[in-house]
Amino acid sequence: MKNILLIISIFFFSTKVFALPRFSLQKGDVTCGGCHQNPMGGGLRTKGGESFSINALPMWKRGDSFTGAISESITLGADFRSQFLYFSQQYPLYDDFGIKIKDTTSCIKSFHAMSYAVELGVKATNSLFGYLRYDPLSAPAEGYAMLHFVHSSGELIQSGDVVNDAYVKIGAFLPAFGIRFDDHTIYARGGNSDVSRFGGAGLFWGYGYRDEGGELGAFLFDHVGVQIGVYNGNESNYFSNFIGKNPNFAVSARLNISGEILEDILSGEIGGSIYTHSKTDNAGASVPLSLFAMHGGMNVGPVSIFVEYDDGKNVVLSGGSSIPFVKALTLEGSVKILNGLYAMARYEKFNQYADEKRTILFSTEVKNRVMIGAQWFPLRFIEIRPEFRLATVTAPNISDPIIRDDIKQTTFLVQTHLFF
């Protein structure tokens, strides 16, 4: 823990730290509102975001413009992702006496759809916005209404030097927590729903996650972002439209502080998040669920680095099981090679424990996973992402859970992303 605090402190005081999306925060912004209608990022873009996608992001540009707006008040968007996946894992086989016989390898090769999402945005006034996203691959829909009660338009309260923006958001959406990594298979987000028969690995912020509730957010002094939310606590059943008669109300809070050290060269951001509520375990008893994260990043010229450390208690994993204690570490970096081409690398760990001292392993443990890859934006609204991943996993043996197997996993994928 002390090492994580030291790493993040070094990032803040020596470099430009920013959370995703990195393209807007490379300018030192603490909010994603410069490119997205949602201040937390993702979803429909603003006019500035559309302009960036056309004029700054792609490798080969065209002179004409594009907008998803069909009127002054209504905007349409789309998010289509497909993927080719090659996955193999090597694990040992044992005889009836528990003696290792040999190693065996299983492989998966497939094309599959990841997202067919369509989006609708309605701007009722300068400060009142409605959003709906529907994806048949991750029902139910995400939707919310957002009111900026402090805004540059001055429609309700004029923004100033102290309070730059303040909003309230009500509906079904992803709570403000941690870094918004755009890859939901990162263990700090959703991870793997299962590790090829060896149990789940990853937190519950998976693709399609949304919770019903409200969020209050504010951006202060151009450098401080604060979000506080109250939700149903829906991580155990977030694909359902109905929560039940007795929802376990959850509270989340997120704080980010940004600082620019050298204009357009060096800046940083550091923050923390918490998500907590009481939930009912399998025996019907009430237990506290808590998840804490420290996060930050840096940007120096063409180099960007992000780090997030998560520590949780009684956390529901992406596979649906509840883990007594869990830790996750994510370190991701990118380098701009050419306009529209970025090299990427990532290091991850995901540990599960049965005791509070974090000494007794529980179920699957990801010792490490390393990824190298690239992001290529050849033309506007097109992204191609090849990645190679190598992971070392320890998990209970299928036949005898007392035996823990060391498993090596190799993944190669090519993801195609069309968006506007």
Side-chain angles (χ1 to χ4, degrees):
M1 182 68 178
K2 292 181 180 179
N3 291 336
I4 300 300
L5 291 171
L6 177 61
I7 291 171
I8 296 179
S9 299
I10 293 173
F11 283 172
F12 179 67
F13 289 111
S14 64
T15 58
K16 177 173 185 178
V17 178
F18 56 90
L20 289 181
R22 66 175 180 268
F23 303 119
S24 61
L25 296 178
Q26 282 171 352
K27 301 176 182 178
D29 296 336
V30 71
T31 171
C32 296
C35 286
H36 293 272
Q37 301 286 358
N38 183 358
M40 290 305 300
L44 290 172
R45 294 160 183 79
T46 62
K47 291 183 179 179
E50 289 180 342
S51 177
F52 179 83
S53 298
I54 295 172
N55 300 313
L57 186 57
M59 179 175 288
W60 297 296
K61 302 176 180 60
R62 295 186 55 176
D64 52 341
S65 61
F66 171 86
T67 177
I70 60 177
S71 73
E72 292 184 0
S73 302
I74 300 176
T75 303
L76 297 178
D79 184 17
F80 303 147
R81 296 175 187 259
S82 62
Q83 183 173 269
F84 167 77
L85 173 69
Y86 170 83
F87 173 84
S88 70
Q89 72 175 6
Q90 183 184 75
Y91 54 93
L93 293 179
Y94 299 86
D95 62 17
D96 294 337
F97 300 98
I99 299 174
K100 179 179 173 181
I101 303 173
K102 62 178 180 178
D103 288 333
T104 185
T105 301
S106 61
C107 299
I108 299 173
K109 301 177 184 178
S110 70
F111 287 94
H112 64 279
M114 301 177 64
S115 170
Y116 288 147
V118 292
E119 300 169 304
L120 171 67
V122 179
K123 186 178 180 181
T125 69
N126 287 328
S127 57
L128 180 60
F129 176 75
Y131 174 77
L132 176 66
R133 175 188 172 97
Y134 176 70
D135 186 346
L137 300 180
S138 63
E142 174 185 2
Y144 58 82
M146 181 170 57
L147 174 65
H148 293 262
F149 55 89
V150 177
H151 193 261
S152 58
S153 67
E155 191 168 42
L156 296 177
I157 301 175
Q158 177 67 47
S159 61
D161 294 335
V162 176
V163 183
N164 312 130
D165 183 26
Y167 67 90
V168 59
K169 183 163 58 174
I170 298 175
F173 53 90
L174 178 66
F177 187 94
I179 296 176
R180 290 291 179 90
F181 290 106
D182 57 348
D183 185 345
H184 68 272
T185 64
I186 291 176
Y187 297 122
R189 304 308 297 172
N192 303 316
S193 59
D194 63 75
V195 187
S196 187
R197 304 178 304 179
F198 290 99
L203 301 178
F204 52 81
W205 312 109
Y207 176 70
Y209 184 91
R210 90 288 180 276
D211 204 346
E212 291 82 1
E215 178 181 290
L216 179 66
F219 299 96
L220 314 172
F221 306 105
D222 290 327
H223 298 295
V224 180
V226 182
Q227 293 82 33
I228 300 174
V230 179
Y231 314 94
N232 278 330
N234 197 25
E235 70 280 344
S236 298
N237 194 26
Y238 61 88
F239 282 130
S240 172
N241 282 309
F242 301 98
I243 307 305
K245 296 181 180 179
N246 299 305
N248 297 308
F249 292 111
V251 176
S252 73
R254 183 177 186 270
L255 170 67
N256 263 19
I257 302 174
S258 67
E260 193 168 55
I261 300 173
L262 293 176
E263 185 176 357
D264 297 328
I265 299 176
L266 199 64
S267 62
E269 180 182 289
I270 187 170
S273 300
I274 188 169
Y275 178 90
T276 181
H277 69 81
S278 295
K279 69 184 187 71
T280 303
D281 63 12
N282 295 331
S286 179
V287 295
L289 180 153
S290 62
L291 184 62
F292 170 74
M294 295 194 66
H295 37 83
M298 68 177 181
N299 180 232
V300 185
V303 180
S304 303
I305 296 179
F306 309 94
V307 61
E308 178 171 329
Y309 170 78
D310 299 81
D311 192 299
K313 180 179 180 181
N314 298 317
V315 173
V316 176
L317 303 190
S318 57
S321 59
S322 183
I323 298 300
F325 302 94
V326 64
K327 294 193 300 184
L329 174 65
T330 305
L331 180 64
E332 180 180 280
S334 66
V335 180
K336 184 176 181 179
I337 306 299
L338 299 169
N339 202 56
L341 179 62
Y342 299 81
M344 299 182 64
R346 185 188 308 127
Y347 174 81
E348 299 177 80
K349 293 185 67 175
F350 188 80
N351 306 106
Q352 305 176 46
Y353 302 98
D355 64 325
E356 192 166 4
K357 293 183 179 180
R358 274 66 164 178
T359 56
I360 302 176
L361 295 177
F362 186 95
S363 188
T364 302
E365 177 192 25
V366 181
K367 292 183 176 179
N368 55 71
R369 182 169 71 173
V370 178
M371 181 277 291
I372 56 173
Q375 273 184 305
W376 182 33
F377 300 90
L379 299 170
R380 60 184 185 180
F381 312 127
I382 298 176
E383 175 192 0
I384 299 174
R385 180 182 293 195
E387 290 186 3
F388 174 79
R389 303 178 183 182
L390 184 62
T392 303
V393 177
T394 300
N397 181 267
I398 297 175
S399 302
D400 186 355
I402 296 178
I403 300 175
R404 296 191 65 88
D405 291 334
D406 286 328
I407 307 164
K408 294 184 178 180
Q409 299 175 338
T410 303
T411 306
F412 175 73
L413 62 88
V414 179
Q415 184 181 134
T416 302
H417 182 203
L418 308 178
F419 61 94
F420 69 86

